[in-house]
Amino acid sequence: VQDAASGQDPRSRGDEGSQWCWKEEICRILGEIQAPLSPLLLRLCHWLLPKLLTRLFLSVQLHWGQLEMVLRAARTPEVPLVFLCSHQSQVDGLLLSFVLLSQGIGLPRVTVGAWPSPCLRSLLQRLGGIFLPSGMAQTLSDRDEGLPGAVLDAYIQEVLQSHQPLILFLEEPLASLRLADPAQCWLLRVLRALQDGAVPDVLIVPVGIAYDVAP
C-alpha cells in the first residue's frame, strides 16, 4: 500500500502533509470495502433469519455428508477456507452465512455485488459483507488498479491470514453462466495472496445453490 501511494506521488515519502492525505484516502477506500462487525446486528439477524427462511421456503436442504467434509476441512490448522459459489438470488449470502455460523465454522466475509442503497450497503457491511472499492468493478484489461487495488490486496491477505472464511460468488444472479468481472477481481486477490506467500495454502470449497423457485 505504501509503495502504491508513493508511486502515485513520489514527494509523499518525506512530506508529512502528503502522508496524512494518503492515510485519509486509504481509510476511505477501506471504508468502501468493509465496516466493523456489529455484534448486536449479528445476534438479531441470527434470530430473525430462521423465521425469514421459514416464510420464504418450505425447507432448506443440506447434503450432510458434504457438510461433514467441510467441517473437517475447517479444522485444518493455518489454512483458510474459500467458498466458490453459484449465485441464484440476493438471499444466497445471508443463507450461506447462517449455515456456516450455525455449524460453528465462523462468520464468513461475503463478497457482495453492487447495491444501489447506501443504507443497505452499510447494513450488509456490518453483517460481514465486503464490496469492491468504487471504480474497480470494470473489466480487468481496462483498469489501472493503483491505490484501491493495493488496499484490496492487503485487506484480502489480512482476511486469509486471520482464517476468516471467505465466500466468493462466481456469477451475477439471473445472468449468463460466465465468470463475472467482480468475481475475477476477487479471485485475483486470493491468487496474489498465495503467490506473495501471505498464506501457505487455501482450501477451495465449491458450493452449489438451487431453488425450486428463486426468491
Side-chain angles (χ1 to χ4, degrees):
V1 172
Q2 289 175 340
D3 290 343
S6 59
Q8 293 188 11
D9 185 2
R11 297 170 300 175
S12 64
R13 286 187 180 273
D15 186 347
E16 290 186 4
S18 296
Q19 289 179 355
W20 178 255
C21 290
W22 283 120
K23 286 180 180 179
E24 287 190 333
E25 177 65 11
I26 290 166
C27 290
R28 184 195 66 79
I29 295 170
L30 188 59
E32 289 185 342
I33 298 172
Q34 60 100 50
L37 298 175
S38 170
L40 177 61
L41 281 176
L42 287 170
R43 286 195 293 268
L44 181 62
C45 186
H46 195 69
W47 177 75
L48 282 176
L49 199 55
K51 295 173 174 54
L52 172 64
L53 294 177
T54 55
R55 295 277 185 175
L56 288 176
F57 310 117
L58 293 176
S59 65
V60 177
Q61 299 179 3
L62 302 173
H63 191 291
W64 183 248
Q66 294 175 355
L67 186 58
E68 281 287 334
M69 288 192 292
V70 174
L71 291 172
R72 286 200 301 271
R75 292 191 289 269
T76 305
E78 304 301 323
V79 179
L81 290 176
V82 177
F83 295 85
L84 301 184
C85 312
S86 59
H87 204 5
Q88 303 296 319
S89 83
Q90 301 291 4
V91 182
D92 296 346
L94 290 173
L95 181 61
L96 282 173
S97 295
F98 173 73
V99 169
L100 296 181
L101 193 58
S102 64
Q103 295 301 316
I105 296 176
L107 181 71
R109 287 293 186 170
V110 184
T111 61
V112 185
W115 288 79
S117 168
C119 294
L120 187 55
R121 177 180 178 131
S122 177
L123 174 64
L124 292 174
Q125 285 181 321
R126 297 287 182 177
L127 294 173
I130 55 177
F131 294 77
L132 290 175
S134 56
M136 287 200 63
Q138 305 164 5
T139 58
L140 293 173
S141 58
D142 296 334
R143 187 176 67 231
D144 178 17
E145 294 178 345
L147 188 59
V151 174
L152 190 60
D153 281 335
Y155 175 75
I156 291 299
Q157 288 184 12
E158 289 290 335
V159 169
L160 297 177
Q161 287 173 343
S162 61
H163 306 116
Q164 297 180 65
L166 180 63
I167 294 178
L168 306 181
F169 290 107
L170 300 180
E171 71 248 353
E172 296 295 334
L174 306 178
S176 59
L177 295 178
R178 67 177 185 85
L179 188 63
D181 291 336
Q184 294 183 54
C185 191
W186 290 113
L187 286 170
L188 181 60
R189 265 68 223 175
V190 175
L191 181 60
R192 285 179 179 170
L194 283 168
Q195 291 174 337
D196 294 343
V199 287
D201 198 2
V202 296
L203 288 173
I204 300 294
V205 182
V207 180
I209 302 174
Y211 301 93
D212 291 334
V213 177

